[in-house]
Amino acid sequence: MTKLLLSLHVLASILAVGPITVAASMFPRYAKPPAPGDDVPHDHDLRTAAFLHKICRGYAVVGIAVPVLGLATGAQMGVLGDAWLVASIVLTTIAAALLMSMVLPGQRELLEEEGEEHDLPGTGAGSGALTVAARRSAAARLAMTTGIFNLLWATVVVLMIVRPGSTTGA
């Protein structure tokens, strides 16, 4: 049973968290408007940004399986009290909170600010209140926040592999 749970946990991590980290990392690039007067080619494409946001939202729901399966695996292995697992649980909680409270709302805000201007259905109200400079700044902050989110997940992966202080192998 442990091997099955561990396999499902790893598969869920790869198939759910992987797409979120990639899509969230790509989003700011496509959501950031070009600087005023900038004639060089740019990647600003709200349709792509909206698609990446949809990926993040959808896989965030599926991603709930990762900690659920992780806790079941840890319970089966009898390691729920081990420091490496407790640290992983704390980091996973922080990453999930960051995704739900900053990354997804930040993406939605950037889409809403330009949605009406570009007549994109399903992107939000499109108040257009932010200036181009403010949207560029918001996209840069979102990129930084997404980077922190990704670093938290990378740290969890390392803890899961190395398991410092573990007596269960590795």
Side-chain angles (χ1 to χ4, degrees):
M1 185 65 158
T2 301
K3 290 181 181 183
L4 174 65
L5 285 172
L6 183 57
S7 297
L8 291 174
H9 173 61
V10 170
L11 280 172
S13 298
I14 292 167
L15 298 176
V17 178
I20 296 170
T21 59
V22 172
S25 294
M26 293 173 64
F27 179 90
R29 176 181 186 167
Y30 291 100
K32 183 170 87 172
D38 194 358
D39 292 334
V40 297
H42 56 83
D43 292 325
H44 185 63
D45 180 356
L46 286 180
R47 291 187 193 283
T48 301
F51 178 67
L52 293 169
H53 176 62
K54 194 177 285 190
I55 289 171
C56 290
R57 276 193 344 248
Y59 280 95
V61 173
V62 175
I64 294 169
V66 175
V68 169
L69 289 166
L71 288 171
T73 303
Q76 187 75 23
M77 293 173 64
V79 296
L80 285 179
D82 287 10
W84 64 271
L85 188 57
V86 172
S88 295
I89 291 169
V90 169
L91 293 174
T92 298
T93 303
I94 293 169
L98 195 61
L99 178 67
M100 300 309 289
S101 69
M102 296 182 78
V103 174
L104 292 177
Q107 290 178 347
R108 189 170 43 251
E109 180 182 315
L110 280 168
L111 289 172
E112 287 174 353
E113 289 299 330
E114 288 195 52
E116 185 179 84
E117 179 182 322
H118 293 277
D119 194 29
L120 291 178
T123 59
S127 65
L130 289 179
T131 65
V132 170
R135 288 194 304 254
R136 289 177 59 81
S137 179
R141 278 192 310 278
L142 182 59
M144 178 197 64
T145 304
T146 301
I148 293 168
F149 169 79
N150 291 344
L151 283 172
L152 287 167
W153 278 115
T155 304
V156 169
V157 168
V158 170
L159 284 171
M160 291 288 139
I161 294 169
V162 175
R163 296 186 282 176
S166 173
T167 58
T168 60

